[in-house]
């Protein structure tokens, strides 16, 4: 009888161990694997691998989190593109000419902004300065900023000395290529010989 009881105890212990092992595997499958996949996704973001996607997880909170991740990561890639574009829009040096000091800096409130400015020296006599703001944020705003600056740069140096003409030409260029987008722009020309300022404003706040 004692031997039989001992065998039952041993059998029960083995069954309990197998049951616990199975429960452990189930919990690992249910929780640890999704957590690991989410961790790999975070690592991919850190490494700027925006092509990474989390595989389909369970139909629970972790699965929903994985779906959200896959929806957000393309937007992070868009932000990286927008930031790269923005980096080329702002001047990287100051102007010191004939007693005039022209300098500027920008501290964006968000990762990508719609604000931009620039200043240039023309023919060692004129300084042109302009500041603008694209409605909205993100890569579309950054690309519209690039288009605005490109429209100004495409003008001849003579045309760039006429603020009213500049704003008119830029407006024509943007309205012919964009829809339902708005850019404000203020443009200033400084004549270093006469110290005369010529200014035009297209809806930009003072």
């Amino acid at each position: 009888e004692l031997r039989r009881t001992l065998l039952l105890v041993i059998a029960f212990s083995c069954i309990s161990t197998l049951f616990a092992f199975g429960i452990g595997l189930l919990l690992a499958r249910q929780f640890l694997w999704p957590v690991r996949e989410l961790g790999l996704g975070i690592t991919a973001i850190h490494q700027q691998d925006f092509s990474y996607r989390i595989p389909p997880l369970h139909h629970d909170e972790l699965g929903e989190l994985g779906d959200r991740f896959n929806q957000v990561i393309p937007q992070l890639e868009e932000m990286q593109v927008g930031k790269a574009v923005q980096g080329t829009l702002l001047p990287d040096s100051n102007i010191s000419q004939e007693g005039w000091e022209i300098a500027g800096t920008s501290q964006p409130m968000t990762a990508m902004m719609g604000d931009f400015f620039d200043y240039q020296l023309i023919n060692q006599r004129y300084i042109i300065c302009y500041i603008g703001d694209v409605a909205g944020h993100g890569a579309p705003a950054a690309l519209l900023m690039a288009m605005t600056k490109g429209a100004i740069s495409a003008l001849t140096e003579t045309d760039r000395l006429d603020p009213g003409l500049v704003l008119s030409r830029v407006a024509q260029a943007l309205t012919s290529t964009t829809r339902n987008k708005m850019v404000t722009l203020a443009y200033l020309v400084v004549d270093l010989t006469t110290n005369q300022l010529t200014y035009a404003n297209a809806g930009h706040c003072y």
Side-chain angles (χ1 to χ4, degrees), residues 12-32:
F12 180 77
S13 298
C14 292
I15 293 173
S16 298
T17 300
L18 291 174
F19 181 76
F21 182 73
I23 292 296
L25 289 178
L26 181 62
L27 290 176
R29 174 69 179 174
Q30 185 71 24
F31 296 106
L32 298 183

Side-chain angles (χ1 to χ4, degrees), residues 63-85:
E64 183 178 352
L65 187 58
D67 293 338
R68 296 281 186 180
F69 176 93
N70 291 337
Q71 294 172 7
V72 169
I73 197 167
Q75 300 176 17
L76 296 178
E77 183 176 19
E78 181 181 276
M79 290 173 62
Q80 286 296 110
V81 173
K83 289 174 66 175
V85 171

Side-chain angles (χ1 to χ4, degrees), residues 40-41 43-55 69-70 72-78 80:
L40 292 175
T43 301
I45 292 177
H46 180 70
Q47 297 175 348
Q48 297 187 2
D49 178 12
F50 299 113
S51 63
Y52 185 86
R53 296 295 183 273
I54 292 179
F69 176 93
N70 291 337
V72 169
I73 197 167
Q75 300 176 17
L76 296 178
E77 183 176 19
E78 181 181 276
Q80 286 296 110

Side-chain angles (χ1 to χ4, degrees), residues 123-137:
N123 296 332
Q124 299 298 312
R125 176 177 173 177
Y126 301 97
I127 297 176
I128 63 170
C129 308
Y130 56 88
I131 183 170
D133 185 15
V134 179
H137 295 273

Side-chain angles (χ1 to χ4, degrees), residues 86 89-90 106-109 112-117 131-134 136-137 141 145 204:
Q86 283 186 330
L89 295 178
L90 304 180
S106 175
Q107 291 184 311
M109 181 180 299
M112 283 190 295
M113 58 181 181
D115 309 292
F116 66 101
F117 66 90
I131 183 170
D133 185 15
V134 179
H137 295 273
M145 290 162 59
H204 197 75

Side-chain angles (χ1 to χ4, degrees), residues 167-190:
L167 297 187
S168 177
R169 294 284 178 82
V170 171
Q172 293 174 6
L174 295 182
T175 54
S176 65
T177 56
T178 62
R179 295 291 184 271
N180 301 322
K181 298 293 183 181
M182 184 179 71
V183 182
T184 63
L185 185 65
Y187 193 96
L188 171 70
V189 176
V190 181

